[in-house]
């Protein structure tokens, strides 16, 4: 794998790492991204289903979409891209993983310090009283799950037009403001405020690397755009980092 010389020469100095991931890092786990074409739901745009007005208009349609996604996620396993970030978290002095994904695969892979900007698909939340429950306790069986207060449960994710969790947002922007290397991987970089995070890092003059098989609106601004799938690029980048820092991660059985 080719990495830019400037990155290779300086990687030894990067100790505070912040990563932003999007749906693309889960693509190799078999979870289609929001912009993949093909499949049952491609006639809808995510913005037309992941929002309060869609739920108000047709709660069964929105619930069916989330159930379809939950069924896909239930069969998915972390891929080498997720696992490489677990290793990097063990190697770096300070590591913050910020994800836009709601699939829980970073946690399943073993990452510990995760900022879930858009919530987690495994949680349901009552629209009226805000009570939360695991999806197993209030399953969607073709009928919208109803709370003890009479309110409708909805998936506990952040919809378009809704505020992000305050604490998650604060921690995410702090991580962009204090890191010495920012990596954005597997995101089309169009959804705000998440898409502002790499811009904050760039405005501080620190290196921002974008990893994506396709260029995005951010690619031209990135310090380095590395074209390729996360499952290939991340393990190789972590191996370069490990070698440059003369480290072997405690999770590495060969260390
Ligand atoms: C907010 C959770 C403020 C739910 C998601 C007009 C009206 C209303 C709002 C807005 C508006 N204009 C702008 C906004 C703000 C809006 C926004 O940004 N809209 C966009 C569409 C322009 N943002 C919001 O609404 C946010 N809230 O702003 O509130 C506010 C202010 C006042 C009062 C009230 C509120 C909330 C946004 C969160 C929405 N929730 N997800 C769910 O999952 O169901 S968004 C969802 O799509 C994801 O979480 C993610 O964030 C987003 C984008 O998806 P990506 O992760 O980037 O994935 P995508 O498919 O797009 O791209 C995948 C990439 O991977 C591609 O580039 C592909 O090339 C690459 N790839 C493919 N394979 C691989 C790969 N990469 C690596 N390896 C591979 N193998
Ligand atoms: Zn309730």
């Amino acid at each position: 794998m080719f990495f830019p010389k400037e990155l290779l020469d300086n990687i030894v100095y990067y100790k505070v790492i912040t990563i932003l991931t999007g749906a693309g890092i889960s693509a190799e786990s078999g979870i289609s991204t929001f912009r993949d074409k093909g499949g049952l739901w491609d006639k809808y745009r995510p913005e037309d289903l992941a929002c309060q007005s869609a739920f108000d208009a047709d709660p069964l349609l929105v619930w069916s979409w989330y159930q379809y996604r939950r069924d896909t996620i239930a069969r998915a396993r972390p891929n080498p891209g997720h696992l490489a970030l677990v290793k990097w978290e063990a190697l770096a002095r300070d590591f913050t993983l910020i994800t836009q994904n709601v699939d829980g695969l970073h946690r399943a892979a073993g990452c510990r310090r995760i900022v879930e900007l858009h919530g987690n698909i495994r949680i349901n939340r009552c629209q009226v009283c805000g009570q939360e429950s695991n999806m197993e306790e209030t399953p969607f069986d073709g009928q919208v799950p109803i709370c003890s207060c009479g309110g409708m449960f909805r998936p506990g994710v952040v919809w378009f037009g809704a505020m992000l969790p305050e604490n998650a947002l604060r921690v995410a922007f702090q991580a962009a403001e204090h890191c010495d290397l920012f990596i954005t991987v597997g995101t089309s970089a169009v959804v705000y405020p998440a898409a502002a995070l790499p811009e904050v890092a760039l405005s501080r003059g620190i290196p921002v690397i974008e990893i994506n098989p396709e260029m995005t609106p951010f690619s031209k601004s990135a310090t380095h755009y590395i074209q390729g799938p996360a499952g290939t690029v991340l393990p190789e980048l972590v191996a370069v980092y490990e070698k440059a820092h003369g480290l072997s991660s405690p999770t590495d059985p060969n260390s």
Side-chain angles (χ1 to χ4, degrees):
M1 179 104 223
F2 161 73
F3 291 113
K5 183 175 181 324
E6 186 196 346
L7 173 60
L8 294 175
D9 292 347
N10 292 293
I11 199 162
V12 68
Y13 305 117
Y14 305 141
K15 306 213 184 317
V16 183
I17 314 288
T18 295
I19 312 265
L20 171 68
T21 66
I25 196 166
S26 296
E28 291 160 90
S29 295
I31 299 178
S32 59
T33 68
F34 286 84
R35 282 147 187 79
D36 274 353
K37 282 301 143 217
L40 181 63
W41 295 92
D42 71 329
K43 59 179 179 290
Y44 296 95
R45 291 185 322 150
E47 300 89 301
D48 299 336
L49 287 172
C51 62
Q52 189 64 52
S53 52
F55 187 78
D56 294 344
D58 190 345
L60 276 178
L61 173 73
V62 174
W63 260 109
S64 304
W65 180 52
Y66 278 96
Q67 191 56 46
Y68 161 73
R69 290 173 60 195
R70 282 176 171 173
D71 295 344
T72 308
I73 289 166
R75 294 190 296 273
R77 294 291 170 267
N79 66 57
H82 295 107
L83 298 172
L85 295 181
V86 177
K87 186 166 182 179
W88 208 345
E89 181 177 42
L91 290 172
R93 193 186 71 203
D94 188 334
F95 183 93
T96 304
L97 172 62
I98 306 162
T99 188
Q100 301 172 83
N101 301 339
V102 297
D103 59 31
L105 284 183
H106 286 302
R107 194 172 308 285
C111 266
R112 287 196 304 278
R113 186 142 181 253
I114 308 168
V115 181
E116 289 182 321
L117 279 184
H118 296 155
N120 185 324
I121 201 167
R122 301 186 54 77
I123 303 293
N124 289 334
R125 188 171 56 241
C126 171
Q127 290 223 103
V128 172
C129 69
Q131 186 199 330
E132 293 201 343
S133 84
N134 286 326
M135 64 183 195
E136 292 81 7
E137 291 154 16
T138 47
F140 172 68
D141 50 11
Q143 298 297 324
V144 176
I146 301 296
C147 174
S148 51
C149 80
M152 282 196 274
F153 273 109
R154 41 151 292 185
V157 297
V158 178
W159 278 340
F160 286 99
M163 298 297 276
L164 277 64
E166 212 171 301
N167 186 50
L169 210 48
R170 184 173 47 75
V171 173
F173 275 91
Q174 273 173 355
E177 281 148 10
H178 295 99
C179 59
D180 52 25
L181 178 65
F182 192 104
I183 313 261
T184 172
V185 52
T187 178
S188 55
V190 295
V191 173
Y192 284 82
L197 292 162
E199 294 163 358
V200 164
L202 210 56
S203 68
R204 293 179 42 234
I206 63 127
V208 178
I209 298 174
E210 181 184 51
I211 299 170
N212 197 317
E214 290 168 28
M215 292 191 80
T216 72
F218 183 75
S219 303
K220 287 201 177 11
S221 320
T223 316
H224 303 297
Y225 163 63
I226 298 176
Q227 182 166 32
T232 306
V233 176
L234 282 174
E236 300 214 15
L237 184 56
V238 173
V240 164
Y241 186 88
E242 184 176 27
K243 191 155 174 270
H245 288 251
L247 297 164
S248 59
S249 65
T251 55
D252 180 349
N254 308 320
S255 59

